[in-house]
């Protein structure tokens, strides 16, 4: 306890609290469609794949927006960006309660892009929280800030109950007081000590272009511009990511030429992607697979999200002690084993809940462990890397509900969905094992922050040119 108190006192704890509240309420808004999906399905006709797409759009929007929002953070005070983010993410919670009738599927998709602004807060909240703390406690501090994942608990606990009494459209307005509290905390307490470089005007233009481009892409996929059925769904993250990356300055794009960037992105697409993707879809999973009542499914979603969010700081603390590298080898193996077990067994309700609990614990610990590595490997670029790596996490979170929906619609079972993510987790685990010796050179707290000597030549060239 004394160690925790000393760590918090080594920086600006009020700013850390403001960042936590900003991300917490942003996360609440971000996955709003998940627990409300069974209610929305009663008013808006959707196939299983369309339901998966609906809950995945905010996840994808956050993933892509994190790239240009992280770029904007590199040139602009994070406090201002956070206040704008709160306002934009509030739009759906204002529009839906005021809409005179049941909204169309198209409107829900467009508003889903704005819900993604809540998840994009990650690219600002984490680097701003860590900017006033020393390197030795970055894992703990970033874990505490990112424990805003607990916002998902409110989704499953609060919104289905309000929807039962007042209707799901009015239920979305329950997020407004939470957003107001976060906005006030950011305005009063947030402090950004991060190093700023680059053009604010250009970064702002890139962000606006990304937001508008996402709306166009989502509507194009819905209209079948990129092919009918599953093709457009699977292409959407790729097209969105290419567009966002193209808008980045060349000196920032250079990090994508480094091997380590891609490995960390793969890992986070599994840990955070699993957390947010499953949080978006688990209500549908429980109601479809086990015929669980909607309110009970929402409660289980809350409990699972609570577990994953609460252990994230512990994952950061653990990584500060043993390094994120060692922690991730074990955690990725656990995630892979749990996914593959679910696929092979397709367990009854009690077994399914037990496996989901194991998954969420591993997701939360893995999230904290992954981001402990970022400040050590990319000092001075934590805002950008938070955006890029966070985008990978969001893309993983997009594909999970989409693939689950496609698997259910195509085969009548979720087996192929769980098997796919189990195999992907196994690949990520093997990658960390292969790189373990090289990463331990820089991953330990207090180690010099530089590209490891053994990094692939393309990575060394890109780093030298920064």
């Amino acid at each position: 306890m004394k160690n925790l108190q000393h760590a918090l006192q080594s920086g600006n704890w009020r700013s850390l609290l403001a960042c936590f509240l900003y991300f917490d309420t942003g996360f609440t808004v971000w996955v709003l469609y998940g627990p409300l999906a069974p209610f929305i399905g009663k008013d808006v006709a959707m196939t299983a794949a369309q339901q998966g797409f609906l809950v995945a759009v905010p996840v994808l929007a956050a993933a892509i927006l994190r790239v240009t929002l992280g770029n904007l953070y590199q040139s602009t005070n994070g406090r201002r960006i956070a206040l704008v983010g709160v306002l934009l993410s509030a739009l759906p919670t204002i529009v839906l309660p005021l809409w005179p009738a049941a909204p169309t599927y198209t409107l829900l998709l467009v508003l889903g892009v704005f819900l993604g602004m809540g998840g994009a807060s990650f690219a600002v909240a984490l680097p701003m929280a860590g900017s006033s703390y020393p390197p030795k406690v970055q894992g703990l501090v970033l874990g505490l800030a990112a424990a805003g994942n607990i916002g998902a608990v409110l989704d499953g606990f609060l919104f289905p109950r309000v929807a039962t009494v007042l209707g799901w459209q009015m239920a979305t307005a329950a997020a407004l007081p939470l957003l107001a509290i976060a906005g006030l905390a950011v305005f009063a307490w947030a402090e950004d000590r991060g190093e700023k470089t680059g053009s604010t005007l250009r970064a702002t233009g890139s962000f606006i272009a990304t937001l508008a481009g996402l709306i166009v892409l989502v509507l194009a996929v819905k209209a079948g511009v990129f092919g009918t059925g599953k093709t457009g769904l699977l292409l959407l993250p790729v097209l969105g990511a290419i567009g966002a990356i193209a808008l980045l300055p060349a000196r920032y794009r250079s990090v994508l030429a480094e091997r380590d960037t891609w490995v960390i992105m793969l890992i986070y697409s599994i840990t955070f992607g699993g957390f947010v993707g499953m949080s978006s879809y688990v209500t549908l999973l429980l109601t479809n697979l086990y015929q669980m009542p909607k309110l009970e499914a929402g409660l289980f979603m809350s409990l699972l999200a609570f577990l994953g969010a609460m252990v994230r700081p512990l994952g950061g603390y653990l990584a500060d002690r043993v390094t994120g590298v060692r922690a991730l080898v074990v955690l990725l193996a656990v995630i892979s084993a749990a996914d593959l077990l679910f696929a092979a067994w397709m367990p009854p309700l009690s077994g399914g809940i037990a496996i989901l609990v194991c998954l969420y614990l591993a997701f939360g610990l893995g999230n904290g462990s992954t981001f402990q590595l970022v400040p050590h490997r990319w000092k001075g670029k934590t805002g950008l890397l938070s955006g890029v790596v966070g985008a990978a996490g969001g893309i993983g979170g997009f594909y999970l509900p989409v693939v689950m929906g496609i698997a259910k619609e195509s085969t009548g079972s979720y087996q192929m969905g769980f098997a796919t993510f189990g195999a992907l987790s196994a690949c990520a685990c093997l990658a960390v094992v292969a790189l373990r010796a090289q990463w331990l050179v820089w991953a330990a707290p207090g180690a010099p922050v530089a590209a490891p000597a053994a990094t692939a030549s393309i990575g060394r060239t890109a780093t030298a040119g920064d």
Side-chain angles (χ1 to χ4, degrees):
M1 192 68 182
K2 287 185 177 180
N3 289 338
L4 175 61
Q5 184 179 4
H6 177 73
L8 293 177
Q9 290 176 344
S10 66
N12 187 340
W13 67 267
R14 287 185 179 85
S15 181
L16 173 59
L17 177 59
C19 291
F20 168 83
L21 290 172
Y22 169 43
F23 187 41
D24 181 77
T25 55
F27 204 100
T28 300
V29 171
W30 184 20
V31 296
L32 192 65
Y33 279 165
L36 290 178
F39 296 90
I40 297 173
K42 298 293 184 182
D43 290 341
V44 182
M46 292 179 285
T47 65
Q50 286 176 326
Q51 281 186 321
F53 184 45
L54 177 66
V55 299
V57 163
V59 180
L60 174 69
I64 305 304
L65 289 170
R66 284 178 183 186
V67 178
T68 48
L69 205 63
N71 177 40
L72 182 59
Y73 175 83
Q74 293 295 139
S75 62
T76 308
N77 186 277
R79 181 168 164 270
R80 295 174 192 156
I81 303 172
L83 291 172
V84 173
V86 169
L87 291 174
L88 289 176
S89 60
L91 285 177
T93 67
I94 297 171
V95 171
L96 286 172
L98 296 177
W99 203 256
T104 64
Y105 184 64
T106 299
L107 176 63
L108 289 173
L109 292 177
V110 172
L111 293 178
V113 174
F114 287 93
L115 290 178
M117 279 300 302
S121 62
F122 183 94
V124 179
L126 262 67
M128 184 161 61
S131 68
S132 60
Y133 283 88
K136 65 180 180 180
V137 296
Q138 286 292 307
L140 175 62
V141 169
L142 296 184
L144 287 170
N149 292 349
I150 201 173
V153 174
L154 291 173
D155 285 89
F157 181 77
L158 174 64
F159 295 112
R161 282 162 175 74
V162 179
T164 300
V165 177
L166 301 177
W168 68 268
Q169 288 176 251
M170 288 302 299
T172 61
L176 283 173
L178 305 175
L179 290 168
I181 292 171
L184 289 172
V186 169
F187 181 79
W189 295 335
E191 179 184 22
D192 184 9
R193 299 181 186 177
E195 180 183 347
K196 305 299 175 183
T197 58
S199 168
T200 298
L201 182 61
R202 175 173 176 175
T204 302
S206 297
F207 168 72
I208 294 172
T210 303
L211 182 62
L214 272 171
I215 294 173
V216 172
L217 275 176
V218 167
L219 294 180
V221 168
K222 189 250 179 189
V225 172
F226 303 109
T228 58
K230 307 172 184 66
T231 305
L233 294 181
L234 299 176
L235 279 176
L236 180 57
V238 177
L239 296 172
I242 291 173
I245 291 169
L247 293 170
L248 290 176
R251 63 196 181 98
Y252 290 155
R253 287 200 300 270
S254 65
V255 298
L256 295 173
E258 300 179 36
R259 177 198 60 200
D260 291 352
T261 303
W262 288 95
V263 179
I264 292 289
M265 287 167 64
L266 173 62
I267 294 168
Y268 205 61
S269 72
I270 293 164
T271 60
F272 186 73
F275 179 88
V276 70
M278 191 59 75
S279 295
S280 296
Y281 197 76
V282 73
T283 305
L284 288 171
L285 177 72
L286 293 173
T287 54
N288 292 337
L289 184 59
Y290 300 115
Q291 291 75 52
M292 184 180 289
K294 294 191 287 291
L295 290 182
E296 288 184 25
L299 178 60
F300 270 109
M301 179 260 190
S302 293
L303 293 174
L304 291 169
F306 178 79
L307 283 176
M310 291 305 294
V311 299
R312 179 163 183 157
L314 180 59
Y317 178 76
L318 176 68
D320 283 337
R321 294 285 182 167
V322 303
T323 75
V325 181
R326 295 187 179 99
L328 285 169
V329 170
V330 176
L331 294 169
L332 289 169
V334 170
I335 293 171
S336 176
D339 277 329
L340 293 174
L341 177 61
F342 205 112
W345 183 22
M346 290 306 292
L349 178 60
S350 57
I353 293 295
I355 293 175
L356 288 171
V357 167
C358 290
L359 277 173
Y360 268 81
L361 289 173
F363 289 153
L365 292 169
N367 289 336
S369 298
T370 304
F371 258 85
Q372 185 265 355
L373 296 173
V374 173
H376 293 285
R377 178 62 177 82
W378 291 280
K379 186 177 181 181
K381 294 182 179 179
T382 54
L384 175 67
L385 264 296
S386 293
V388 171
V389 176
I395 288 173
F398 170 85
Y399 275 122
L400 191 149
V402 167
V403 170
M404 287 293 185
I406 290 174
K408 176 65 174 175
E409 188 172 301
S410 302
T411 68
S413 170
Y414 292 107
Q415 281 183 292
M416 288 305 298
F418 280 102
T420 298
F421 291 105
L424 189 63
S425 301
C427 291
C429 182
L430 292 174
V432 178
V433 170
L435 296 172
R436 181 176 179 274
Q438 297 175 29
W439 280 17
L440 285 174
V441 173
W442 51 264
V449 181
T455 300
S457 59
I458 187 170
R460 292 197 300 268
T461 302
T463 304
D466 285 351

